[in-house]
């Protein structure tokens, strides 16, 4: 790395120039160059359209939650207690814990089959954070919370569509 | 290579795809559900002599089976989606993103050059591909110069 102050050729990754002690650390900060990079690094979760929420309580029946999910036309119910997020009930929970079993869904409480305390994100978090969480945790949906209260949910589909929209491949 | 060029040039077969459940159309819903659970994917490809004839997804399960008076012993072909939209292993990542958006799909079945069912690409595969191949954008968070540690490291 050439020092912009004295022109000394330093090894890459040094924080200061070996010759003149000029600060080189700022040159290692990833900076968006424009286009999609800029959007992903700087846009916040609020830039992606949220899905509507199907809100249920842990004591509601699974039958009730399924009916809410179908009415709203989304892939999961968000479970709240005193307004705070305590879980989500996803299609995957229904596949793994309900499908094919002899269960009375009207008597089965949501709290017994939901995914407890899911990973969440704030509206002001950058989009790269939600991409990271989905990739690392293998989540398809991440609830958006404000002071512990769910205000929306972001899906992998919405993230993929956002990337496509800003990819420069479509005009 | 730019993101746009990569998305339109990289073929779907290059992604680390998981092997989906594949069942015959005469398989029961119950057998199909068990195969889906084992695959850890949200769909099963329904085949006839190796050819893709249908797709059964978690969404089909929710909409047509759970909470409905449908027996898990009936053949999956009665509740599957016939002739689902699909792509080839040699189509681009971009074409998968576009098809998912246009059809509002989360899973797109894949066929090989002979038309045999060969796999599935999911919307999560695409997000993971993106995170892995554009790590600077998606994974590395720029350092916060003004950050103060509340305690010494290791304390």
């Amino acid at each position: 790395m050439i020092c912009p102050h004295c022109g000394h050729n330093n090894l890459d990754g040094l924080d200061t120039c070996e010759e003149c002690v000029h600060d080189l650390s700022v040159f290692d900060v990833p900076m968006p160059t424009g286009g999609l990079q800029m959007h992903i690094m700087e846009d916040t979760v609020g830039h992606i359209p949220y899905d509507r929420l199907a809100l249920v309580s842990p004591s509601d029946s699974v039958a009730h939650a399924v009916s809410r999910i179908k009415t709203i036309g989304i892939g999961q119910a968000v479970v709240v207690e005193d307004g705070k997020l305590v879980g989500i009930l996803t299609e995957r929970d229904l596949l793994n814990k309900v499908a094919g079993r002899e269960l009375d869904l009207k008597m089965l409480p949501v709290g017994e089959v939901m995914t407890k305390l899911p990973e969440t994100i704030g509206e002001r978090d950058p989009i790269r954070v939600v991409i990271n969480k989905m990739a690392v945790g293998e989540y398809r949906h991440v609830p958006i919370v404000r002071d512990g209260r769910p205000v929306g949910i972001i899906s992998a589909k919405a993230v993929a569509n956002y990337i496509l929209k800003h990819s420069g491949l479509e005009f | 290579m730019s993101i746009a060029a990569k998305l339109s040039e990289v073929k779907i077969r290059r992604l680390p795809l998981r092997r989906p459940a594949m069942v015959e159309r005469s398989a029961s819903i119950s057998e199909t559900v068990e195969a889906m659970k084992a695959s850890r994917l949200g769909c099963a490809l329904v085949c006839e002599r190796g050819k893709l004839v249908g797709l059964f997804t978690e969404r089909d399960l929710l909409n047509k089976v759970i909470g409905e008076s449908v027996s898990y012993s009936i053949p999956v072909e009665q509740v599957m989606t016939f002739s689902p939209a699909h792509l080839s292993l040699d189509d681009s990542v971009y074409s998968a993103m576009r098809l998912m958006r246009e059809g509002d799909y989360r899973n797109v079945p894949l066929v090989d050059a002979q038309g045999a069912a060969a796999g599935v690409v999911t919307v999560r595969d695409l997000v993971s591909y993106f995170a892995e191949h554009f790590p600077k954008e998606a994974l590395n968070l720029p350092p916060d110069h003004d950050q103060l540690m509340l305690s010494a490291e290791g304390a």
Side-chain angles (χ1 to χ4, degrees), chain B residues 14 24 32 34 40 44-45 52-53 67 89-91 99-101 103 105 109 116-117 125 128 130 141:
Chain B
R14 294 266 306 276
E24 291 292 312
T32 308
E34 289 310 315
R40 301 189 62 229
L45 305 188
L52 178 73
V53 291
L89 286 167
D90 289 320
D91 283 320
L99 182 59
M100 283 181 191
R101 184 184 60 189
Y105 307 129
D125 292 329
S128 294
F130 193 84
L141 310 184

Side-chain angles (χ1 to χ4, degrees), chain A residues 160, chain B residues 15 93 96-97 100 121-131:
Chain B
L15 305 185
V93 171
M97 291 178 94
M100 283 181 191
V121 59
T122 71
V123 68
R124 245 200 26 78
D125 292 329
L126 300 181
V127 173
S128 294
Y129 169 81
F130 193 84

